[in-house]
Amino acid sequence: MIRDAHEANEAARPNDFELTRLRAALPGYFDKDGDFRLDRLQEALSSADVSMTREGYELKFLGKSYAKYLTSTRTETVVVPDVEHNAEATNAGSENLYIVGDNLDALKHLLGSYAGKVKCIYIDPPYNTGSDGFVYVDDFGFTAKDLVEKVGLDEDEAQRVIALQGKSSHSAWLTFMYPRLDLAKELLTDDGVIFVSIDDNEQANLKALCDEVFGEQGFVATVAVKNNPRGRQSNTSIAPVHDYILIYSKAAATAGIGGKRLTQAQRDEYKFEDENGNYRLLGLRQRGVASLREDRPDMFFPIYVNPESEEISLAEQAGWHEVLPRKSDGRDGRWMWGKVKCLAETDRLVAKFVARRGEYDISVKDYLNRDGLIERTKKSFTIWDDKGFNQQVGTQEVKELLAGDIASYPKPTPLLEEVVQLGAGPQDIVMDFFSGSGTTAEAVMRANAFDDGSRKFIMVQIPDVIDSGDAAYAAGYRTIDEIGRARITKAAIKVKNETGAAIDTGFKLFRLQEPSVKTLDEMQSFDPNEETLLLDDFVSKFAFDGTPGAQVALATWLVEDGFGLTAEVTCVELDEYELQVCDDTGYVIEPGLSSADAMALVAKLEAGELDLKRLVIFGYSVSFSVMHELKQNLRSLRSGQTVTVIERY
Ligand SMILES: C[S@@+](CC[C@H](N)C(=O)[O-])C[C@H]1O[C@@H](n2cnc3c(N)ncnc32)[C@H](O)[C@@H]1O
């Protein structure tokens, strides 16, 4: 587990993460030795007529190679489930996640199960204003010599990268953001979208960084959010009234972006009703540009109206009135629909006699709900100006929920509701890895209450310690995540009481922890090939915060192996040992697996009572001889099945 990660990190290189992506995307361009076939790629590109650029334009900052290196290393933390919290009735069945820890570690854990599965990510990172407390902190403990060896920096650059620690320069901020955005991209679905809040301090750098990480073709929009209508008076000349949200995706052309929810006034425009629901009437005659007959001659044709019943037909009928698309100045106009659409959707056409003009007008029924179900939306603009987006709203909301001014700059829930509405469909996963007071989680619950959805949230928050002089400290909070979790719990009750909707109001709670140096040393000195050195109960060294070590190892591996953090695990009785099974994988974590248990496992597999593809074993818990026996027997089962044995340390 940790020893494996530690050993992998010893060999990690800055471009490993990028190379892994390249291998996955273009396996055909690597030969059997793992070497990249540049000649083959060049040939494919030239025969496909793809133009290549050697513009040499790129974002440079001190720490960039190091930032890439941090993307490539494995986390040396474990995932500790809060057993007591997760067993509470509200949380036991919940699919929402709250992870307490550094988001760089959290993203690395989550990649195992959630890569390509998160539809919408919102983040509100430190803006690096100079007064928001941002300083670059990393506790990986590298020396300049390490960076020379591992990252390939020269001595002078390595010294300057080490000196970024504790700084709030642009380079420090970019070094902090780069690996996080790079990993976040991997979590997005192919049509997924990331929204990043920022202000003028780092907006330009963030734009350049996102252009590099997501590609310029991933840029969707920069939105200006009017969050301070009175203007920031601290600015001497022009008072800013807005900050920004940068929106990116893997490819803007295929990004799944929904529309803006209608306001009540807009909804009220749909004042007519028939068996298909509420609708408004829109004139069938095209208005504005390209609205003349000559613009679309095929859209100039007569429509016939029965003067008795006001029935509509496109075929001429004796005694029916002929209606043509005429403009008010008498010129020939054109309809908004062609003949084929008018014929197919005659039911939606309505005729109304206008006495003043002595003629009929033709209108179209425009329904509020598409397909009778989903309420229509409006396209969003790049300026978001809504009273609900004022930063005061966010402050007030948290004040009311938690009875005090205890969160710094929480975003307003209406703003996050807008983001969730645009970025996530009713069944999607929404993630915020700078979750602060948890506004995104509240927005997800509100969106679910509004449309009966089952969106799930993943929140990540570092357990930053609250200063003893802060109001939050006086209110009893010691770390920021405590505020976030309290807010989510209170907001859930509020949303439920206000709406009565049957939403998921709980969340599963996990903390990321680093094993002690002593444990690491013991792990390093363990030799799996020496029977005598088997440490009796090594697994208990991973016990944290009252959670048994076996549950910590299991949670860490379930997410690494692709089963997520809310997976169902069953126990299968062997001889005397209980094997834990998730889907096609068995886990041997606790010590005590005997030769008789190994035989019982083989018997169950051969009898078809158990169907496994992998057996994951905590190497410290199984003796050398039993491990050997398992490997031998599982390699050649009589049933023809193969079960791969994976030892982890
Ligand atoms: C600007 S606040 C987010 C506020 C949030 N949008 C809200 O509405 O309350 C940024 C948050 O990110 C957290 N943070 C900073 N660095 C982090 C890291 N490395 N991992 C996880 N959280 C981090 C900070 O503690 C802070 O709570």
Side-chain angles (χ1 to χ4, degrees):
M1 177 155 67
I2 299 301
R3 182 167 134 177
D4 295 335
H6 195 71
E7 283 170 8
N9 288 346
E10 286 296 305
R13 288 287 167 265
N15 289 330
D16 283 358
F17 188 67
E18 240 161 314
L19 275 174
T20 310
R21 280 196 290 204
L22 206 56
R23 265 193 203 102
L26 302 171
Y29 293 90
F30 286 84
D31 66 16
K32 64 178 180 7
D33 301 321
D35 292 334
F36 187 66
R37 295 285 310 271
L38 187 60
D39 54 338
R40 203 181 279 175
L41 184 65
Q42 271 170 335
E43 191 188 311
L45 293 176
S46 60
S47 59
D49 237 7
V50 175
S51 64
M52 291 187 232
T53 169
R54 286 169 174 268
E55 202 186 353
Y57 170 82
E58 67 165 315
L59 170 69
K60 284 198 168 158
F61 57 93
L62 176 68
K64 188 169 177 181
S65 314
Y66 178 57
K68 284 189 176 190
Y69 176 71
L70 291 182
T71 313
S72 297
T73 55
R74 285 178 56 178
T75 170
E76 296 187 17
T77 60
V78 287
V79 180
V80 182
D82 186 320
V83 187
E84 207 178 305
H85 171 97
N86 295 351
E88 283 170 17
T90 338
N91 307 318
S94 177
E95 291 191 72
N96 297 320
L97 304 177
Y98 193 100
I99 300 173
V100 182
D102 188 323
N103 47 22
L104 188 59
D105 292 307
L107 288 162
K108 289 177 181 178
H109 282 295
L110 290 167
L111 270 181
S113 289
Y114 298 90
K117 296 208 177 133
V118 179
K119 175 64 184 36
C120 171
I121 298 179
Y122 169 78
I123 53 169
D124 179 14
Y127 283 6
N128 202 13
T129 58
S131 60
D132 66 352
F134 171 76
V135 288
Y136 182 70
V137 182
D138 96 28
D139 49 11
F140 300 110
F142 293 113
T143 60
K145 186 164 168 278
D146 291 334
L147 299 192
V148 170
E149 276 166 21
K150 294 173 194 288
V151 187
L153 302 182
D154 64 37
E155 186 71 38
D156 172 57
E157 197 180 356
Q159 291 289 0
R160 291 195 297 135
V161 170
I162 295 288
L164 286 176
Q165 181 87 263
K167 296 261 167 54
S168 52
S169 61
H170 292 303
S171 283
W173 190 83
L174 284 162
T175 302
F176 173 72
M177 291 301 291
Y178 192 117
R180 288 163 173 86
L181 286 174
D182 213 9
L183 293 166
K185 180 186 173 192
E186 293 303 299
L187 291 177
L188 285 178
T189 55
D190 285 343
D191 61 347
V193 193
I194 181 165
F195 299 75
V196 188
S197 278
I198 200 70
D199 75 1
D200 282 312
N201 287 287
E202 296 291 356
Q203 187 276 339
N205 287 324
L206 179 66
K207 174 77 175 52
L209 179 60
C210 289
D211 278 347
E212 175 158 328
V213 169
F214 296 92
E216 288 179 58
Q217 295 197 338
F219 173 69
V220 176
T222 297
V223 169
V225 183
K226 191 166 171 185
N227 64 344
N228 185 355
R230 289 162 61 191
R232 221 160 295 134
Q233 297 308 322
S234 52
N235 280 56
T236 47
S237 46
I238 297 179
V241 294
H242 69 283
D243 61 5
Y244 305 93
I245 295 181
L246 264 55
I247 309 176
Y248 275 82
S249 60
K250 287 185 175 170
T254 50
I257 303 211
K260 225 173 126 61
R261 206 183 279 167
L262 298 188
T263 60
Q264 195 49 50
Q266 287 165 336
R267 215 168 273 136
D268 290 344
E269 287 172 20
Y270 297 78
K271 56 186 179 211
F272 305 107
E273 196 177 350
D274 67 10
E275 63 285 3
N276 297 320
N278 284 76
Y279 65 89
R280 63 180 178 172
L281 289 174
L282 299 176
L284 182 64
R285 187 170 61 73
Q286 179 75 25
R287 274 140 173 105
V289 282
S291 56
L292 291 172
R293 178 181 186 170
E294 66 226 40
D295 294 318
R296 290 296 299 268
D298 56 326
M299 287 186 169
F300 179 89
F301 51 86
I303 292 178
Y304 299 93
V305 178
N306 181 331
E308 303 296 322
S309 62
E310 295 196 330
E311 212 180 316
I312 283 182
S313 169
L314 264 74
E316 186 172 1
Q317 317 227 16
W320 288 37
H321 282 262
E322 181 188 75
V323 187
L324 285 164
R326 289 252 154 69
K327 295 179 78 85
S328 51
D329 60 8
R331 284 184 296 167
D332 285 349
R334 64 144 176 125
W335 299 122
M336 187 167 68
W337 291 358
K339 219 170 192 171
V340 174
K341 186 158 167 87
C342 283
L343 271 172
E345 301 198 32
T346 313
D347 288 356
R348 285 180 59 196
L349 299 180
V350 176
K352 195 166 165 245
F353 190 69
V354 185
R356 182 169 44 86
R357 302 203 314 262
E359 59 185 11
Y360 280 93
D361 239 1
I362 309 289
S363 303
V364 177
K365 287 181 182 179
D366 186 37
Y367 288 97
L368 176 61
N369 292 339
R370 285 178 199 256
D371 305 325
L373 286 172
I374 302 163
E375 188 173 295
R376 65 166 54 233
T377 51
K378 277 190 150 340
K379 199 173 206 157
S380 189
F381 296 144
T382 51
I383 295 183
W384 291 10
D385 179 6
D386 183 302
K387 279 207 291 283
F389 301 164
N390 188 334
Q391 72 190 30
Q392 289 299 329
V393 172
T395 309
Q396 197 54 33
E397 282 175 340
V398 178
K399 231 182 202 175
E400 277 166 24
L401 276 173
L402 299 183
D405 196 359
I406 56 175
S408 61
Y409 298 113
K411 287 285 184 278
T413 312
L415 177 68
L416 269 301
E417 279 184 81
E418 186 87 357
V419 166
V420 171
Q421 167 75 18
L422 295 187
Q427 267 80 47
D428 289 330
I429 300 179
V430 179
M431 180 176 187
D432 181 344
F433 53 89
F434 285 96
S435 95
S437 69
T439 314
T440 307
E442 178 170 348
V444 167
M445 292 189 283
R446 288 198 176 275
N448 285 343
F450 179 80
D451 64 7
D452 239 351
S454 55
R455 296 169 190 82
K456 291 146 273 281
F457 64 73
I458 303 178
M459 300 290 116
V460 183
Q461 173 59 41
I462 203 162
D464 269 343
V465 174
I466 294 167
D467 205 273
S468 59
D470 286 0
Y473 191 95
Y477 299 100
R478 296 295 174 261
T479 49
I480 305 280
D481 58 290
E482 288 178 14
I483 299 179
R485 288 182 282 126
R487 187 263 177 89
I488 296 172
T489 305
K490 298 235 169 162
I493 296 167
K494 188 164 183 235
V495 175
K496 201 147 190 184
N497 288 345
E498 279 172 10
T499 63
I503 50 169
D504 179 356
T505 52
F507 56 87
K508 294 259 165 56
L509 175 60
F510 300 87
R511 293 183 181 82
L512 306 185
Q513 299 281 12
E514 263 181 83
S516 69
V517 175
K518 183 164 169 272
T519 301
L520 290 176
D521 287 346
E522 284 175 351
M523 287 167 103
Q524 286 302 333
S525 55
F526 176 81
D527 181 352
N529 298 319
E530 281 193 43
E531 185 82 88
T532 48
L533 275 182
L534 182 70
L535 293 161
D536 231 11
D537 186 8
F538 210 88
V539 72
S540 65
K541 295 181 193 302
F542 290 91
F544 283 99
D545 314 318
T547 302
Q551 297 203 33
V552 173
L554 185 63
T556 308
W557 289 345
L558 286 174
V559 70
E560 178 179 338
D561 295 337
F563 300 122
L565 284 167
T566 53
E568 287 254 336
V569 176
T570 50
C571 285
V572 174
E573 193 84 36
L574 301 177
D575 183 44
E576 287 194 348
Y577 188 87
E578 279 195 342
L579 177 74
Q580 286 174 296
V581 175
C582 184
D583 198 34
D584 62 1
T585 305
Y587 291 93
V588 176
I589 297 173
E590 298 268 20
L593 188 91
S594 65
S595 180
D597 291 309
M599 286 301 100
L601 173 61
V602 171
K604 277 193 188 298
L605 289 165
E606 295 201 318
E609 288 170 37
L610 195 56
D611 187 10
L612 295 183
K613 298 259 175 310
R614 293 183 287 189
L615 186 69
V616 177
I617 301 177
F618 191 50
Y620 310 99
S621 291
V622 175
S623 70
F624 176 76
S625 53
V626 174
M627 184 78 86
H628 181 72
E629 202 174 333
L630 273 174
K631 284 187 193 161
Q632 282 275 314
N633 287 306
L634 296 183
R635 198 177 301 141
S636 53
L637 287 168
R638 259 181 277 141
S639 56
Q641 270 175 289
T642 354
V643 180
T644 312
V645 175
I646 302 171
E647 285 174 73
R648 287 189 181 150
Y649 293 95

